[in-house]
Amino acid sequence: SLFASTQFGFDNFLYLDITGRNDWSSSLPGQSFFYPSVGLSSILTEKMSLGGINFAKVRASYAIVGSGVPAYLNNPISERHQIVNGQLVLTNVGVLPGTVLKPEKSKSFEIGLDMRALDNRLSVDLTYYKNNTIDQFIQIAAPAGSDFSAYLVNAGNIQNSGIEGLIGYQVLK
């Protein structure tokens, strides 16, 4: 893997984080996959007065994460040879990968707001997020004559999103 990260800040107010990673997986020979991320945040209270609010920050980020095929699936075996009680036993096992497998990828987006008020005693953290995982590795049943128990293919598209909130109050200081 290769990984790079950089952060830019401007006037204690605006921050930009950028990362990039490139992987070469032994389970996906001949392929590499790149996945970046970017995050932007701004501390609003560094540049403006917001009444009784001691701290306010808005943030947004986007990231992609990649994942290779599980180990040994690109070099499958259709039979397992074992010696049990002195006899050779052949077992039909293994998962045959699809003809062209791609890395699984998860894409995430998040935007949020962090605020503190009342001499930093009251805190509010609100976040909206959306995640999408594509090209998942899914096993499907193999035909009986194939000598394999299953095939591995890229399929699937799972999405979820939501809103998270956290409110806190510090009674004793």
mmCIF file of all heavy atoms in Angstrom, residues 77-98:
data_model
loop_
_atom_site.group_PDB
_atom_site.id
_atom_site.type_symbol
_atom_site.label_atom_id
_atom_site.label_comp_id
_atom_site.label_asym_id
_atom_site.label_seq_id
_atom_site.Cartn_x
_atom_site.Cartn_y
_atom_site.Cartn_z
ATOM 1 N N ILE A 77 -9.163 -24.436 -4.825
ATOM 2 C CA ILE A 77 -9.020 -25.872 -5.053
ATOM 3 C C ILE A 77 -10.420 -26.472 -5.033
ATOM 4 O O ILE A 77 -11.291 -25.998 -4.326
ATOM 5 C CB ILE A 77 -8.133 -26.551 -3.980
ATOM 6 C CG1 ILE A 77 -8.692 -26.295 -2.580
ATOM 7 C CG2 ILE A 77 -6.709 -26.052 -4.073
ATOM 8 C CD1 ILE A 77 -8.033 -27.108 -1.503
ATOM 9 N N SER A 78 -10.635 -27.486 -5.841
ATOM 10 C CA SER A 78 -11.967 -28.081 -5.864
ATOM 11 C C SER A 78 -12.065 -29.285 -4.935
ATOM 12 O O SER A 78 -13.153 -29.693 -4.593
ATOM 13 C CB SER A 78 -12.349 -28.491 -7.286
ATOM 14 O OG SER A 78 -11.468 -29.497 -7.743
ATOM 15 N N GLU A 79 -10.937 -29.833 -4.537
ATOM 16 C CA GLU A 79 -10.980 -30.986 -3.643
ATOM 17 C C GLU A 79 -9.976 -30.812 -2.527
ATOM 18 O O GLU A 79 -8.910 -30.234 -2.717
ATOM 19 C CB GLU A 79 -10.644 -32.268 -4.395
ATOM 20 C CG GLU A 79 -11.635 -32.631 -5.468
ATOM 21 C CD GLU A 79 -11.214 -33.881 -6.211
ATOM 22 O OE1 GLU A 79 -10.022 -34.205 -6.211
ATOM 23 O OE2 GLU A 79 -12.091 -34.526 -6.777
ATOM 24 N N ARG A 80 -10.327 -31.292 -1.378
ATOM 25 C CA ARG A 80 -9.399 -31.308 -0.262
ATOM 26 C C ARG A 80 -9.043 -32.772 -0.016
ATOM 27 O O ARG A 80 -9.912 -33.611 0.121
ATOM 28 C CB ARG A 80 -10.035 -30.697 0.988
ATOM 29 C CG ARG A 80 -9.096 -30.760 2.191
ATOM 30 C CD ARG A 80 -9.670 -30.109 3.411
ATOM 31 N NE ARG A 80 -9.837 -28.688 3.163
ATOM 32 C CZ ARG A 80 -10.839 -27.968 3.657
ATOM 33 N NH1 ARG A 80 -11.741 -28.533 4.408
ATOM 34 N NH2 ARG A 80 -10.934 -26.693 3.390
ATOM 35 N N HIS A 81 -7.762 -33.055 0.003
ATOM 36 C CA HIS A 81 -7.281 -34.395 0.245
ATOM 37 C C HIS A 81 -6.897 -34.523 1.716
ATOM 38 O O HIS A 81 -6.082 -33.754 2.203
ATOM 39 C CB HIS A 81 -6.056 -34.708 -0.619
ATOM 40 C CG HIS A 81 -6.340 -34.634 -2.086
ATOM 41 N ND1 HIS A 81 -6.590 -33.450 -2.739
ATOM 42 C CD2 HIS A 81 -6.411 -35.606 -3.021
ATOM 43 C CE1 HIS A 81 -6.806 -33.685 -4.016
ATOM 44 N NE2 HIS A 81 -6.697 -34.988 -4.221
ATOM 45 N N GLN A 82 -7.506 -35.474 2.392
ATOM 46 C CA GLN A 82 -7.189 -35.713 3.793
ATOM 47 C C GLN A 82 -7.025 -37.212 4.011
ATOM 48 O O GLN A 82 -7.652 -38.016 3.318
ATOM 49 C CB GLN A 82 -8.320 -35.226 4.711
ATOM 50 C CG GLN A 82 -8.538 -33.733 4.702
ATOM 51 C CD GLN A 82 -9.732 -33.364 5.556
ATOM 52 O OE1 GLN A 82 -10.812 -33.905 5.385
ATOM 53 N NE2 GLN A 82 -9.520 -32.433 6.484
ATOM 54 N N ILE A 83 -6.205 -37.539 4.964
ATOM 55 C CA ILE A 83 -6.093 -38.947 5.360
ATOM 56 C C ILE A 83 -6.803 -39.086 6.693
ATOM 57 O O ILE A 83 -6.449 -38.445 7.687
ATOM 58 C CB ILE A 83 -4.620 -39.383 5.460
ATOM 59 C CG1 ILE A 83 -3.978 -39.267 4.075
ATOM 60 C CG2 ILE A 83 -4.519 -40.796 6.025
ATOM 61 C CD1 ILE A 83 -2.534 -39.659 4.017
ATOM 62 N N VAL A 84 -7.848 -39.897 6.683
ATOM 63 C CA VAL A 84 -8.650 -40.131 7.879
ATOM 64 C C VAL A 84 -8.624 -41.619 8.163
ATOM 65 O O VAL A 84 -9.007 -42.435 7.305
ATOM 66 C CB VAL A 84 -10.104 -39.635 7.676
ATOM 67 C CG1 VAL A 84 -10.940 -39.926 8.908
ATOM 68 C CG2 VAL A 84 -10.123 -38.153 7.334
ATOM 69 N N ASN A 85 -8.169 -41.997 9.339
ATOM 70 C CA ASN A 85 -8.062 -43.411 9.741
ATOM 71 C C ASN A 85 -7.307 -44.230 8.704
ATOM 72 O O ASN A 85 -7.707 -45.338 8.348
ATOM 73 C CB ASN A 85 -9.450 -44.017 9.993
ATOM 74 C CG ASN A 85 -10.164 -43.363 11.160
ATOM 75 O OD1 ASN A 85 -9.519 -42.914 12.114
ATOM 76 N ND2 ASN A 85 -11.482 -43.285 11.089
ATOM 77 N N GLY A 86 -6.236 -43.639 8.163
ATOM 78 C CA GLY A 86 -5.400 -44.361 7.213
ATOM 79 C C GLY A 86 -5.946 -44.418 5.801
ATOM 80 O O GLY A 86 -5.357 -45.065 4.939
ATOM 81 N N GLN A 87 -7.078 -43.758 5.526
ATOM 82 C CA GLN A 87 -7.656 -43.785 4.182
ATOM 83 C C GLN A 87 -7.690 -42.369 3.600
ATOM 84 O O GLN A 87 -7.922 -41.395 4.310
ATOM 85 C CB GLN A 87 -9.085 -44.340 4.214
ATOM 86 C CG GLN A 87 -9.145 -45.795 4.626
ATOM 87 C CD GLN A 87 -10.566 -46.330 4.517
ATOM 88 O OE1 GLN A 87 -11.431 -45.712 3.916
ATOM 89 N NE2 GLN A 87 -10.792 -47.486 5.108
ATOM 90 N N LEU A 88 -7.471 -42.272 2.286
ATOM 91 C CA LEU A 88 -7.528 -40.993 1.591
ATOM 92 C C LEU A 88 -8.986 -40.609 1.386
ATOM 93 O O LEU A 88 -9.779 -41.367 0.832
ATOM 94 C CB LEU A 88 -6.812 -41.091 0.235
ATOM 95 C CG LEU A 88 -6.796 -39.822 -0.595
ATOM 96 C CD1 LEU A 88 -6.021 -38.716 0.117
ATOM 97 C CD2 LEU A 88 -6.189 -40.095 -1.962
ATOM 98 N N VAL A 89 -9.348 -39.416 1.837
ATOM 99 C CA VAL A 89 -10.717 -38.917 1.715
ATOM 100 C C VAL A 89 -10.671 -37.636 0.882
ATOM 101 O O VAL A 89 -9.900 -36.729 1.160
ATOM 102 C CB VAL A 89 -11.323 -38.623 3.105
ATOM 103 C CG1 VAL A 89 -12.713 -38.022 2.959
ATOM 104 C CG2 VAL A 89 -11.345 -39.870 3.958
ATOM 105 N N LEU A 90 -11.504 -37.570 -0.167
ATOM 106 C CA LEU A 90 -11.607 -36.373 -1.004
ATOM 107 C C LEU A 90 -12.901 -35.649 -0.644
ATOM 108 O O LEU A 90 -13.964 -36.256 -0.591
ATOM 109 C CB LEU A 90 -11.639 -36.745 -2.489
ATOM 110 C CG LEU A 90 -10.416 -37.496 -3.023
ATOM 111 C CD1 LEU A 90 -10.616 -37.846 -4.483
ATOM 112 C CD2 LEU A 90 -9.169 -36.661 -2.847
ATOM 113 N N THR A 91 -12.802 -34.356 -0.408
ATOM 114 C CA THR A 91 -13.967 -33.563 -0.052
ATOM 115 C C THR A 91 -14.123 -32.450 -1.070
ATOM 116 O O THR A 91 -13.156 -31.760 -1.398
ATOM 117 C CB THR A 91 -13.786 -32.943 1.352
ATOM 118 O OG1 THR A 91 -13.455 -33.970 2.277
ATOM 119 C CG2 THR A 91 -15.046 -32.255 1.810
ATOM 120 N N ASN A 92 -15.323 -32.274 -1.586
ATOM 121 C CA ASN A 92 -15.614 -31.211 -2.536
ATOM 122 C C ASN A 92 -15.779 -29.914 -1.751
ATOM 123 O O ASN A 92 -16.731 -29.734 -1.025
ATOM 124 C CB ASN A 92 -16.897 -31.544 -3.302
ATOM 125 C CG ASN A 92 -17.190 -30.522 -4.383
ATOM 126 O OD1 ASN A 92 -16.424 -29.619 -4.616
ATOM 127 N ND2 ASN A 92 -18.317 -30.699 -5.038
ATOM 128 N N VAL A 93 -14.792 -29.016 -1.877
ATOM 129 C CA VAL A 93 -14.811 -27.755 -1.136
ATOM 130 C C VAL A 93 -14.388 -26.633 -2.061
ATOM 131 O O VAL A 93 -14.033 -26.840 -3.209
ATOM 132 C CB VAL A 93 -13.849 -27.783 0.070
ATOM 133 C CG1 VAL A 93 -14.264 -28.827 1.059
ATOM 134 C CG2 VAL A 93 -12.419 -27.995 -0.382
ATOM 135 N N GLY A 94 -14.346 -25.464 -1.522
ATOM 136 C CA GLY A 94 -13.766 -24.338 -2.243
ATOM 137 C C GLY A 94 -14.796 -23.446 -2.880
ATOM 138 O O GLY A 94 -15.922 -23.846 -3.147
ATOM 139 N N VAL A 95 -14.358 -22.247 -3.105
ATOM 140 C CA VAL A 95 -15.179 -21.237 -3.752
ATOM 141 C C VAL A 95 -14.420 -20.776 -4.977
ATOM 142 O O VAL A 95 -13.255 -20.398 -4.896
ATOM 143 C CB VAL A 95 -15.431 -20.050 -2.799
ATOM 144 C CG1 VAL A 95 -16.197 -18.954 -3.500
ATOM 145 C CG2 VAL A 95 -16.166 -20.512 -1.555
ATOM 146 N N LEU A 96 -15.048 -20.849 -6.130
ATOM 147 C CA LEU A 96 -14.429 -20.422 -7.373
ATOM 148 C C LEU A 96 -14.785 -18.959 -7.599
ATOM 149 O O LEU A 96 -15.953 -18.594 -7.605
ATOM 150 C CB LEU A 96 -14.939 -21.264 -8.544
ATOM 151 C CG LEU A 96 -14.329 -20.959 -9.900
ATOM 152 C CD1 LEU A 96 -12.845 -21.314 -9.900
ATOM 153 C CD2 LEU A 96 -15.042 -21.724 -10.995
ATOM 154 N N PRO A 97 -13.778 -18.098 -7.749
ATOM 155 C CA PRO A 97 -14.110 -16.691 -7.971
ATOM 156 C C PRO A 97 -14.717 -16.483 -9.347
ATOM 157 O O PRO A 97 -14.567 -17.302 -10.232
ATOM 158 C CB PRO A 97 -12.764 -15.977 -7.846
ATOM 159 C CG PRO A 97 -11.755 -17.020 -8.150
ATOM 160 C CD PRO A 97 -12.349 -18.336 -7.725
ATOM 161 N N GLY A 98 -15.397 -15.355 -9.501
ATOM 162 C CA GLY A 98 -15.929 -14.989 -10.805
ATOM 163 C C GLY A 98 -14.775 -14.721 -11.751
ATOM 164 O O GLY A 98 -13.613 -14.671 -11.364
#
